[in-house]
Amino acid sequence: MTKRIVIVESPTKAKTINKFLGAGYVVRSSMGHVRDLPPNKLAVDVDKDFEPEYKIMPKRKEMVKSLKAEVKATDEVYLAPDHDREGEAIAWHLCKALDIPEGKAHRVIFNEITKEAIKKAFEHPVEIDMDKVNAQQARRILDRLVGYKISPLLWKKVAKRLSAGRVQSVAVRVLVEREKDILAFKPEEYWDIIARIKPAGSRDKGFEAKLWKLDDDDVKIVNDTEAQGHLKLLNEAKYVVGAIKKQRRQSKPQPPFATSQLQQQASIQLNYSTKRTMLVAQQLYEGVEIKDGPTGLITYMRTDSFSVSKEAITACRNLIPGTFGEKYLPSKPNVYASRKGAQQAHEAVRPAIVEITPDSIKQYLTRDQYKLYQLIWNRFVASQMSPADYETMDVTVEAGQYRFKAKGKTVVFPGHTVLSGAIKEESLPELNERDELKLIELTPNQHFTEPPPRYTEAALVKLLEKEGIGRPSTYAAIISTIQDRGYVQKEGRTLHPTELGILVTDKLVKHFPTVLNIEFTSHMEEELDKIEEAKLDWVGVLKEFYTPFVKDLELAVDEMESEKGRPEEADTVCKQCGEPMVVRWSRAGKFLGCSAFPKCKFTMDLGGKGQPQEAEATGESCEKCGSPMVIKAGRMGKFIACSAYPECKNTKSIPTGVKCPKEGCGGDVVARRSKKGRKFFGCSNYPKCDFTAFKLPTETEEAAATTK
C-alpha cells in the first residue's frame, strides 16, 4: 500500500484536513517556517547576488529530524501550506530541510478547507511555484538589509535595541506627519444657524432646517456679532416652503470582504485590532470544532479580490429566498470588479459553507469567532441581495432674503440592509410649495474648524492599501510591529506616534529619503509582484534597491547627529550622587539619567509634560532584597519595580483591582504581555494559578477568559 504524508503549517489545519483524507494519508504540521535567516548576523552575501544563508530554526530542529524520518519512509509527500508567497516559501524550505527528492514532493493548493476543495486539490497536485518563492525571498532579504544595516546606526546615534523596518518605518512616517499637521493646525471660528419650524396650524414638534443662502450666496458666519445680526432679521422674517425635490434612490450592496475591508470593518464595528482580526480569521479558516468535527468556516483570509466562485454564488442565491423572501433575491447574481492592481490569487473572504449560519454554530464558537464569522457571513450574503430602495426629500425654506435647507429620507424597501445595516431615516412632514411655516426657535451654534484626525487602525489600513504600502498579508504585522517597537501607541481607538517615534522618523527621513519615501515603497511592492509574475529577476530588484541604499548609509554614518554626544541637561540633580541629570533616550522613550553614568546609574521617569517624575511608592517591600517597591513607566506602560535597580531587577505588573475569578485563588488580575507583544490579563499568582483572559472579567458577562 502506498504511504503518503501530508505536511501543513498548522496543527489545527492538520486536524481539519485529516477529516477529509482516507486512511492512506498521515497529516503532520511543520508549525510554520522550519528554515530562516539566523538572527545573529546579516546572513546575506551581497557580493554573491544576495545569496541568503538559511538555517534550520533551533526550535524546529527536533521536528525536522522527526519529519525527515517519516518522509524517508513514505512514497509520496504532499505539501499543503497556505496558497500565498509565504506558504509557497514554507513548502520550498520543507523540501530543502527534509531532503525531499524531486518527483516525490507534490504541492497541493486550495482556497477553502472543505471536502470538495481538498479532494480537488489532491487530484490535481502542482509543482512549487518558484516565482512566488523568489518574491518572498526578495521581500525577506530587503527587510533584512534595511533592518540589519540601519538598526545598528540607531543604536549608535540614539539608543540601544532600536530597530528600523523597510515598510514599518514608512507607516510610522505617515503617523508622524499627521501628528505634525495636528500640532501646526490653527482653528478658525465659524457659526451655523438651525431653525426649528413646523407647518402653520400643526401641533407636532416641527423639523430642523439649516441656514444655507443669503440671496444667491452661501452664508458664512465667522463670529457671534455676525450671528446675532442674522438672528435679528430671521426672527422678523416670514417662513414659507420653497422648492421641494423628491427622488427615488437605490443603495446597492457592497462586495464581499477582501482582507483590508475585513480589517477595517472589524475595527469599526467590533473594535478589533488588525492583529486580533487576522488571528481569529485564521482560526475560522483552519477549522473549528463543531458538531460535525473540525470544520473550516471561511475561505482564505489573505486576499485582495472580490471574486467569488459560481458554486458559492449559487448556494447563496438558493439560501436567500427561503430565509428573507423572494423580493430579496435579484434576478441576476451581483458581480463585483476588483480594484486595479489586485492580484486576485484567491476568492474574496466568504463563508466556506454558506448554509452554516452564525447562530446555528454559536454554541461552538468563542465570542470573537462568532462575531467575526457573523460579520463575514452577513457581508457575503448581503452582497448577493437586492438593492435597498429609499425616497429622499430635499426642501428649501424661504425666510425673506434667506434660504434654509432640510433633508428627509424614507425607506421603501430595505433590501440588503437587513444584514448590512439599516438606512437611517430622517422624517419630514407632508409639505407643499408655498405652504406657510411657523418658526419655533432659532439656534446659533459656534464651531471651530478641527485638525485632521489621527489615524485609527482601520484608517491606516485604508491608507496603506491606497498608497500601495505593504500587501493584505502584511497590514496586521505592520501595525502590530510599530506598536511593539515603541514608536506608536494606541490611545482609545487612535494611533499616536511617541516622542521616540518622531525622533527616529525625522532622522530616517533626513538620511534615508528613498527608503522612507512612500512612492518608492509602493514601487518596491510592485517590483515584488512582478517577480511573482515572472516579469522581473529577483536579484536585479535587490541590486536596484541596494546600490543607492549603501550610499545613503555611508553618508548617514558620518552625518547623522547623535543624541548621545551632548545630552541636554535637566533642571534637577541626581538624588544619589548630586551630579546633574541629563535627558537620555532608550527603547522606552525619553528619560533622565545621571550625567555620571556609568559610575552612577540613577534614573528618573519623565511625565507627559516632560517634567521629572518621582517614582511613586507602593508601600510594598521587595520580596528579593527588602527595598521599597515603586511604580515606573516603560515601553509597555507602567509597572512595579524595585527601587534598588539595577542591583535588584525585581519587577511585577500593577494589579487592575479585579480579583482572580478562579475559585479559591485570591490573586489579583494583572495586565501582561505575551512574547509577541499581545496584551492579555493573568493572575498575579502565576504559575500556581494559570488564569488568563483577553478582557477583564468584569468588562462583560461574556468575558473571553480561558483556563489552561
Side-chain angles (χ1 to χ4, degrees), residues 436-475:
E436 290 188 12
L437 299 169
K438 181 180 179 182
L439 176 66
I440 300 173
E441 64 177 344
L442 289 167
T443 305
N445 298 302
Q446 183 187 36
H447 304 278
F448 291 91
T449 55
E450 295 184 353
R454 291 184 175 89
Y455 288 96
T456 61
E457 288 199 15
L460 184 56
V461 167
K462 187 174 182 179
L463 180 88
L464 293 176
E465 182 180 42
K466 178 185 175 184
E467 298 291 348
I469 304 170
R471 285 296 181 260
S473 60
T474 66
Y475 299 148

mmCIF file of all heavy atoms in Angstrom, residues 436-475:
data_model
loop_
_atom_site.group_PDB
_atom_site.id
_atom_site.type_symbol
_atom_site.label_atom_id
_atom_site.label_comp_id
_atom_site.label_asym_id
_atom_site.label_seq_id
_atom_site.Cartn_x
_atom_site.Cartn_y
_atom_site.Cartn_z
ATOM 1 N N GLU A 436 -47.279 77.956 4.328
ATOM 2 C CA GLU A 436 -46.751 78.817 5.389
ATOM 3 C C GLU A 436 -46.193 77.962 6.518
ATOM 4 O O GLU A 436 -46.731 76.910 6.856
ATOM 5 C CB GLU A 436 -47.856 79.739 5.931
ATOM 6 C CG GLU A 436 -48.273 80.816 4.954
ATOM 7 C CD GLU A 436 -49.220 81.828 5.604
ATOM 8 O OE1 GLU A 436 -49.344 81.792 6.853
ATOM 9 O OE2 GLU A 436 -49.816 82.626 4.873
ATOM 10 N N LEU A 437 -45.119 78.437 7.092
ATOM 11 C CA LEU A 437 -44.465 77.732 8.190
ATOM 12 C C LEU A 437 -44.372 78.651 9.400
ATOM 13 O O LEU A 437 -44.285 79.880 9.265
ATOM 14 C CB LEU A 437 -43.058 77.281 7.781
ATOM 15 C CG LEU A 437 -42.969 76.308 6.595
ATOM 16 C CD1 LEU A 437 -41.522 76.166 6.138
ATOM 17 C CD2 LEU A 437 -43.532 74.943 6.990
ATOM 18 N N LYS A 438 -44.353 78.029 10.566
ATOM 19 C CA LYS A 438 -44.230 78.796 11.804
ATOM 20 C C LYS A 438 -42.862 78.537 12.418
ATOM 21 O O LYS A 438 -42.447 77.391 12.588
ATOM 22 C CB LYS A 438 -45.321 78.403 12.787
ATOM 23 C CG LYS A 438 -45.258 79.195 14.097
ATOM 24 C CD LYS A 438 -46.354 78.780 15.058
ATOM 25 C CE LYS A 438 -46.242 79.578 16.365
ATOM 26 N NZ LYS A 438 -47.279 79.173 17.349
ATOM 27 N N LEU A 439 -42.167 79.611 12.747
ATOM 28 C CA LEU A 439 -40.866 79.485 13.403
ATOM 29 C C LEU A 439 -41.059 79.134 14.875
ATOM 30 O O LEU A 439 -41.782 79.833 15.596
ATOM 31 C CB LEU A 439 -40.083 80.798 13.270
ATOM 32 C CG LEU A 439 -38.734 80.854 14.005
ATOM 33 C CD1 LEU A 439 -37.745 79.862 13.397
ATOM 34 C CD2 LEU A 439 -38.152 82.276 13.965
ATOM 35 N N ILE A 440 -40.436 78.059 15.307
ATOM 36 C CA ILE A 440 -40.485 77.669 16.725
ATOM 37 C C ILE A 440 -39.300 78.279 17.462
ATOM 38 O O ILE A 440 -39.457 78.915 18.502
ATOM 39 C CB ILE A 440 -40.482 76.126 16.878
ATOM 40 C CG1 ILE A 440 -41.693 75.530 16.161
ATOM 41 C CG2 ILE A 440 -40.465 75.730 18.348
ATOM 42 C CD1 ILE A 440 -41.686 74.004 16.117
ATOM 43 N N GLU A 441 -38.093 78.061 16.909
ATOM 44 C CA GLU A 441 -36.912 78.662 17.532
ATOM 45 C C GLU A 441 -35.758 78.693 16.539
ATOM 46 O O GLU A 441 -35.727 77.943 15.556
ATOM 47 C CB GLU A 441 -36.486 77.880 18.785
ATOM 48 C CG GLU A 441 -36.043 76.456 18.518
ATOM 49 C CD GLU A 441 -35.558 75.741 19.770
ATOM 50 O OE1 GLU A 441 -35.284 76.420 20.770
ATOM 51 O OE2 GLU A 441 -35.433 74.503 19.732
ATOM 52 N N LEU A 442 -34.820 79.591 16.821
ATOM 53 C CA LEU A 442 -33.576 79.678 16.069
ATOM 54 C C LEU A 442 -32.421 79.388 17.024
ATOM 55 O O LEU A 442 -32.373 79.949 18.126
ATOM 56 C CB LEU A 442 -33.398 81.070 15.462
ATOM 57 C CG LEU A 442 -34.331 81.441 14.304
ATOM 58 C CD1 LEU A 442 -34.262 82.942 14.031
ATOM 59 C CD2 LEU A 442 -33.946 80.666 13.044
ATOM 60 N N THR A 443 -31.517 78.546 16.597
ATOM 61 C CA THR A 443 -30.391 78.175 17.460
ATOM 62 C C THR A 443 -29.082 78.465 16.748
ATOM 63 O O THR A 443 -28.754 77.826 15.742
ATOM 64 C CB THR A 443 -30.439 76.678 17.822
ATOM 65 O OG1 THR A 443 -31.705 76.378 18.401
ATOM 66 C CG2 THR A 443 -29.324 76.313 18.787
ATOM 67 N N PRO A 444 -28.320 79.457 17.274
ATOM 68 C CA PRO A 444 -26.986 79.699 16.708
ATOM 69 C C PRO A 444 -25.978 78.741 17.361
ATOM 70 O O PRO A 444 -26.012 78.525 18.578
ATOM 71 C CB PRO A 444 -26.707 81.151 17.094
ATOM 72 C CG PRO A 444 -27.473 81.350 18.371
ATOM 73 C CD PRO A 444 -28.670 80.443 18.325
ATOM 74 N N ASN A 445 -25.104 78.164 16.578
ATOM 75 C CA ASN A 445 -24.109 77.228 17.106
ATOM 76 C C ASN A 445 -22.714 77.673 16.713
ATOM 77 O O ASN A 445 -22.425 77.887 15.534
ATOM 78 C CB ASN A 445 -24.346 75.817 16.547
ATOM 79 C CG ASN A 445 -25.701 75.275 16.952
ATOM 80 O OD1 ASN A 445 -26.017 75.173 18.123
ATOM 81 N ND2 ASN A 445 -26.515 74.935 15.950
ATOM 82 N N GLN A 446 -21.876 77.816 17.725
ATOM 83 C CA GLN A 446 -20.475 78.179 17.479
ATOM 84 C C GLN A 446 -19.655 76.915 17.216
ATOM 85 O O GLN A 446 -19.803 75.902 17.900
ATOM 86 C CB GLN A 446 -19.896 78.915 18.686
ATOM 87 C CG GLN A 446 -18.466 79.387 18.491
ATOM 88 C CD GLN A 446 -17.876 79.952 19.775
ATOM 89 O OE1 GLN A 446 -18.153 79.464 20.875
ATOM 90 N NE2 GLN A 446 -17.069 80.997 19.645
ATOM 91 N N HIS A 447 -18.793 76.962 16.216
ATOM 92 C CA HIS A 447 -17.910 75.838 15.898
ATOM 93 C C HIS A 447 -16.500 76.360 15.646
ATOM 94 O O HIS A 447 -16.294 77.558 15.430
ATOM 95 C CB HIS A 447 -18.383 75.108 14.632
ATOM 96 C CG HIS A 447 -19.787 74.612 14.694
ATOM 97 N ND1 HIS A 447 -20.146 73.434 15.312
ATOM 98 C CD2 HIS A 447 -20.946 75.150 14.213
ATOM 99 C CE1 HIS A 447 -21.448 73.258 15.200
ATOM 100 N NE2 HIS A 447 -21.968 74.282 14.543
ATOM 101 N N PHE A 448 -15.570 75.446 15.684
ATOM 102 C CA PHE A 448 -14.201 75.749 15.280
ATOM 103 C C PHE A 448 -13.740 74.645 14.334
ATOM 104 O O PHE A 448 -14.055 73.472 14.538
ATOM 105 C CB PHE A 448 -13.268 75.827 16.494
ATOM 106 C CG PHE A 448 -13.530 77.009 17.378
ATOM 107 C CD1 PHE A 448 -14.411 76.915 18.457
ATOM 108 C CD2 PHE A 448 -12.926 78.234 17.115
ATOM 109 C CE1 PHE A 448 -14.663 78.002 19.268
ATOM 110 C CE2 PHE A 448 -13.177 79.332 17.929
ATOM 111 C CZ PHE A 448 -14.050 79.223 18.997
ATOM 112 N N THR A 449 -13.039 75.063 13.294
ATOM 113 C CA THR A 449 -12.502 74.043 12.396
ATOM 114 C C THR A 449 -11.580 73.118 13.190
ATOM 115 O O THR A 449 -10.917 73.552 14.139
ATOM 116 C CB THR A 449 -11.720 74.683 11.243
ATOM 117 O OG1 THR A 449 -10.710 75.549 11.775
ATOM 118 C CG2 THR A 449 -12.640 75.469 10.335
ATOM 119 N N GLU A 450 -11.583 71.862 12.826
ATOM 120 C CA GLU A 450 -10.817 70.870 13.570
ATOM 121 C C GLU A 450 -9.627 70.383 12.761
ATOM 122 O O GLU A 450 -9.670 70.350 11.523
ATOM 123 C CB GLU A 450 -11.714 69.681 13.931
ATOM 124 C CG GLU A 450 -12.834 70.059 14.883
ATOM 125 C CD GLU A 450 -13.665 68.863 15.307
ATOM 126 O OE1 GLU A 450 -13.442 67.762 14.752
ATOM 127 O OE2 GLU A 450 -14.517 69.022 16.194
ATOM 128 N N PRO A 451 -8.555 70.000 13.455
ATOM 129 C CA PRO A 451 -7.383 69.485 12.733
ATOM 130 C C PRO A 451 -7.703 68.149 12.091
ATOM 131 O O PRO A 451 -8.706 67.505 12.430
ATOM 132 C CB PRO A 451 -6.337 69.327 13.848
ATOM 133 C CG PRO A 451 -7.141 69.123 15.097
ATOM 134 C CD PRO A 451 -8.367 69.968 14.914
ATOM 135 N N PRO A 452 -6.876 67.698 11.168
ATOM 136 C CA PRO A 452 -7.116 66.373 10.590
ATOM 137 C C PRO A 452 -7.078 65.321 11.702
ATOM 138 O O PRO A 452 -6.282 65.445 12.641
ATOM 139 C CB PRO A 452 -5.961 66.192 9.598
ATOM 140 C CG PRO A 452 -4.911 67.165 10.035
ATOM 141 C CD PRO A 452 -5.647 68.312 10.636
ATOM 142 N N PRO A 453 -7.921 64.313 11.630
ATOM 143 C CA PRO A 453 -7.976 63.328 12.721
ATOM 144 C C PRO A 453 -6.763 62.414 12.709
ATOM 145 O O PRO A 453 -6.153 62.176 11.664
ATOM 146 C CB PRO A 453 -9.255 62.540 12.409
ATOM 147 C CG PRO A 453 -9.392 62.632 10.918
ATOM 148 C CD PRO A 453 -8.876 63.995 10.557
ATOM 149 N N ARG A 454 -6.425 61.909 13.884
ATOM 150 C CA ARG A 454 -5.391 60.869 13.941
ATOM 151 C C ARG A 454 -5.951 59.593 13.321
ATOM 152 O O ARG A 454 -7.151 59.381 13.283
ATOM 153 C CB ARG A 454 -4.963 60.617 15.381
ATOM 154 C CG ARG A 454 -4.192 61.780 16.000
ATOM 155 C CD ARG A 454 -3.713 61.451 17.395
ATOM 156 N NE ARG A 454 -2.890 62.523 17.924
ATOM 157 C CZ ARG A 454 -3.361 63.570 18.609
ATOM 158 N NH1 ARG A 454 -4.665 63.658 18.836
ATOM 159 N NH2 ARG A 454 -2.553 64.504 19.042
ATOM 160 N N TYR A 455 -5.058 58.769 12.857
ATOM 161 C CA TYR A 455 -5.463 57.528 12.215
ATOM 162 C C TYR A 455 -5.916 56.499 13.245
ATOM 163 O O TYR A 455 -5.283 56.328 14.277
ATOM 164 C CB TYR A 455 -4.309 56.931 11.407
ATOM 165 C CG TYR A 455 -3.991 57.680 10.143
ATOM 166 C CD1 TYR A 455 -2.973 58.632 10.108
ATOM 167 C CD2 TYR A 455 -4.711 57.436 8.980
ATOM 168 C CE1 TYR A 455 -2.681 59.315 8.943
ATOM 169 C CE2 TYR A 455 -4.425 58.118 7.812
ATOM 170 C CZ TYR A 455 -3.410 59.057 7.802
ATOM 171 O OH TYR A 455 -3.132 59.742 6.640
ATOM 172 N N THR A 456 -7.015 55.838 12.936
ATOM 173 C CA THR A 456 -7.354 54.599 13.626
ATOM 174 C C THR A 456 -6.665 53.469 12.864
ATOM 175 O O THR A 456 -6.110 53.691 11.784
ATOM 176 C CB THR A 456 -8.867 54.360 13.620
ATOM 177 O OG1 THR A 456 -9.304 54.262 12.236
ATOM 178 C CG2 THR A 456 -9.618 55.494 14.299
ATOM 179 N N GLU A 457 -6.720 52.256 13.393
ATOM 180 C CA GLU A 457 -6.149 51.134 12.650
ATOM 181 C C GLU A 457 -6.877 50.955 11.320
ATOM 182 O O GLU A 457 -6.258 50.676 10.289
ATOM 183 C CB GLU A 457 -6.217 49.847 13.479
ATOM 184 C CG GLU A 457 -5.243 49.828 14.642
ATOM 185 C CD GLU A 457 -4.981 48.436 15.172
ATOM 186 O OE1 GLU A 457 -5.312 47.459 14.479
ATOM 187 O OE2 GLU A 457 -4.421 48.318 16.274
ATOM 188 N N ALA A 458 -8.198 51.135 11.340
ATOM 189 C CA ALA A 458 -8.983 50.991 10.108
ATOM 190 C C ALA A 458 -8.555 52.025 9.068
ATOM 191 O O ALA A 458 -8.368 51.706 7.885
ATOM 192 C CB ALA A 458 -10.470 51.130 10.409
ATOM 193 N N ALA A 459 -8.376 53.266 9.508
ATOM 194 C CA ALA A 459 -7.985 54.328 8.579
ATOM 195 C C ALA A 459 -6.572 54.113 8.054
ATOM 196 O O ALA A 459 -6.279 54.390 6.887
ATOM 197 C CB ALA A 459 -8.094 55.691 9.273
ATOM 198 N N LEU A 460 -5.683 53.599 8.916
ATOM 199 C CA LEU A 460 -4.312 53.356 8.470
ATOM 200 C C LEU A 460 -4.264 52.220 7.450
ATOM 201 O O LEU A 460 -3.538 52.306 6.449
ATOM 202 C CB LEU A 460 -3.413 53.040 9.665
ATOM 203 C CG LEU A 460 -1.920 52.864 9.343
ATOM 204 C CD1 LEU A 460 -1.363 54.093 8.635
ATOM 205 C CD2 LEU A 460 -1.119 52.565 10.605
ATOM 206 N N VAL A 461 -5.031 51.169 7.669
ATOM 207 C CA VAL A 461 -5.099 50.071 6.689
ATOM 208 C C VAL A 461 -5.586 50.603 5.348
ATOM 209 O O VAL A 461 -5.047 50.262 4.290
ATOM 210 C CB VAL A 461 -6.015 48.941 7.194
ATOM 211 C CG1 VAL A 461 -6.351 47.967 6.058
ATOM 212 C CG2 VAL A 461 -5.355 48.175 8.330
ATOM 213 N N LYS A 462 -6.608 51.444 5.384
ATOM 214 C CA LYS A 462 -7.156 52.013 4.153
ATOM 215 C C LYS A 462 -6.092 52.822 3.415
ATOM 216 O O LYS A 462 -5.961 52.738 2.185
ATOM 217 C CB LYS A 462 -8.361 52.899 4.485
ATOM 218 C CG LYS A 462 -9.115 53.415 3.270
ATOM 219 C CD LYS A 462 -10.369 54.168 3.691
ATOM 220 C CE LYS A 462 -11.157 54.639 2.475
ATOM 221 N NZ LYS A 462 -12.399 55.352 2.870
ATOM 222 N N LEU A 463 -5.299 53.607 4.165
ATOM 223 C CA LEU A 463 -4.251 54.405 3.536
ATOM 224 C C LEU A 463 -3.131 53.518 2.995
ATOM 225 O O LEU A 463 -2.630 53.754 1.884
ATOM 226 C CB LEU A 463 -3.674 55.402 4.539
ATOM 227 C CG LEU A 463 -2.571 56.274 3.949
ATOM 228 C CD1 LEU A 463 -3.168 57.506 3.299
ATOM 229 C CD2 LEU A 463 -1.545 56.670 4.975
ATOM 230 N N LEU A 464 -2.712 52.512 3.761
ATOM 231 C CA LEU A 464 -1.653 51.611 3.307
ATOM 232 C C LEU A 464 -2.050 50.957 1.985
ATOM 233 O O LEU A 464 -1.244 50.846 1.059
ATOM 234 C CB LEU A 464 -1.376 50.536 4.359
ATOM 235 C CG LEU A 464 -0.772 51.007 5.695
ATOM 236 C CD1 LEU A 464 -0.653 49.833 6.658
ATOM 237 C CD2 LEU A 464 0.575 51.671 5.501
ATOM 238 N N GLU A 465 -3.311 50.540 1.904
ATOM 239 C CA GLU A 465 -3.798 49.910 0.675
ATOM 240 C C GLU A 465 -3.818 50.916 -0.472
ATOM 241 O O GLU A 465 -3.370 50.615 -1.586
ATOM 242 C CB GLU A 465 -5.194 49.345 0.893
ATOM 243 C CG GLU A 465 -5.748 48.639 -0.328
ATOM 244 C CD GLU A 465 -7.142 48.091 -0.088
ATOM 245 O OE1 GLU A 465 -7.962 48.795 0.535
ATOM 246 O OE2 GLU A 465 -7.412 46.968 -0.530
ATOM 247 N N LYS A 466 -4.315 52.116 -0.214
ATOM 248 C CA LYS A 466 -4.409 53.142 -1.254
ATOM 249 C C LYS A 466 -3.032 53.516 -1.799
ATOM 250 O O LYS A 466 -2.851 53.688 -3.006
ATOM 251 C CB LYS A 466 -5.098 54.383 -0.681
ATOM 252 C CG LYS A 466 -5.201 55.540 -1.666
ATOM 253 C CD LYS A 466 -5.793 56.779 -0.998
ATOM 254 C CE LYS A 466 -5.784 57.969 -1.945
ATOM 255 N NZ LYS A 466 -6.267 59.209 -1.276
ATOM 256 N N GLU A 467 -2.046 53.637 -0.902
ATOM 257 C CA GLU A 467 -0.711 54.075 -1.310
ATOM 258 C C GLU A 467 0.178 52.927 -1.771
ATOM 259 O O GLU A 467 1.308 53.154 -2.208
ATOM 260 C CB GLU A 467 -0.023 54.819 -0.144
ATOM 261 C CG GLU A 467 -0.743 56.082 0.303
ATOM 262 C CD GLU A 467 -0.683 57.187 -0.736
ATOM 263 O OE1 GLU A 467 0.101 57.065 -1.695
ATOM 264 O OE2 GLU A 467 -1.426 58.176 -0.597
ATOM 265 N N GLY A 468 -0.311 51.694 -1.640
ATOM 266 C CA GLY A 468 0.493 50.556 -2.079
ATOM 267 C C GLY A 468 1.628 50.218 -1.138
ATOM 268 O O GLY A 468 2.661 49.694 -1.548
ATOM 269 N N ILE A 469 1.461 50.529 0.143
ATOM 270 C CA ILE A 469 2.476 50.226 1.156
ATOM 271 C C ILE A 469 2.144 48.868 1.761
ATOM 272 O O ILE A 469 1.136 48.717 2.450
ATOM 273 C CB ILE A 469 2.506 51.298 2.265
ATOM 274 C CG1 ILE A 469 2.731 52.685 1.659
ATOM 275 C CG2 ILE A 469 3.568 50.985 3.302
ATOM 276 C CD1 ILE A 469 2.534 53.824 2.640
ATOM 277 N N GLY A 470 2.968 47.863 1.525
ATOM 278 C CA GLY A 470 2.654 46.527 2.009
ATOM 279 C C GLY A 470 1.574 45.885 1.150
ATOM 280 O O GLY A 470 1.151 46.416 0.126
ATOM 281 N N ARG A 471 1.126 44.734 1.596
ATOM 282 C CA ARG A 471 0.090 43.970 0.918
ATOM 283 C C ARG A 471 -0.875 43.417 1.970
ATOM 284 O O ARG A 471 -0.571 43.448 3.170
ATOM 285 C CB ARG A 471 0.713 42.840 0.089
ATOM 286 C CG ARG A 471 1.384 43.296 -1.209
ATOM 287 C CD ARG A 471 0.361 43.894 -2.161
ATOM 288 N NE ARG A 471 0.945 44.343 -3.441
ATOM 289 C CZ ARG A 471 1.243 45.606 -3.715
ATOM 290 N NH1 ARG A 471 1.051 46.540 -2.779
ATOM 291 N NH2 ARG A 471 1.714 45.950 -4.893
ATOM 292 N N PRO A 472 -2.052 42.902 1.560
ATOM 293 C CA PRO A 472 -3.046 42.441 2.549
ATOM 294 C C PRO A 472 -2.479 41.531 3.630
ATOM 295 O O PRO A 472 -2.884 41.620 4.789
ATOM 296 C CB PRO A 472 -4.068 41.701 1.678
ATOM 297 C CG PRO A 472 -4.003 42.389 0.358
ATOM 298 C CD PRO A 472 -2.560 42.770 0.175
ATOM 299 N N SER A 473 -1.530 40.682 3.278
ATOM 300 C CA SER A 473 -0.985 39.745 4.257
ATOM 301 C C SER A 473 -0.060 40.425 5.261
ATOM 302 O O SER A 473 0.299 39.815 6.275
ATOM 303 C CB SER A 473 -0.210 38.635 3.539
ATOM 304 O OG SER A 473 0.860 39.183 2.787
ATOM 305 N N THR A 474 0.338 41.688 5.008
ATOM 306 C CA THR A 474 1.313 42.348 5.886
ATOM 307 C C THR A 474 0.732 43.459 6.749
ATOM 308 O O THR A 474 1.411 43.931 7.664
ATOM 309 C CB THR A 474 2.464 42.945 5.043
ATOM 310 O OG1 THR A 474 1.956 44.007 4.206
ATOM 311 C CG2 THR A 474 3.107 41.888 4.158
ATOM 312 N N TYR A 475 -0.503 43.913 6.493
ATOM 313 C CA TYR A 475 -1.036 45.069 7.225
ATOM 314 C C TYR A 475 -1.057 44.842 8.736
ATOM 315 O O TYR A 475 -0.657 45.716 9.515
ATOM 316 C CB TYR A 475 -2.458 45.412 6.746
ATOM 317 C CG TYR A 475 -2.567 45.796 5.290
ATOM 318 C CD1 TYR A 475 -3.706 45.502 4.552
ATOM 319 C CD2 TYR A 475 -1.530 46.461 4.643
ATOM 320 C CE1 TYR A 475 -3.811 45.840 3.211
ATOM 321 C CE2 TYR A 475 -1.628 46.812 3.300
ATOM 322 C CZ TYR A 475 -2.774 46.494 2.587
ATOM 323 O OH TYR A 475 -2.878 46.828 1.264
#
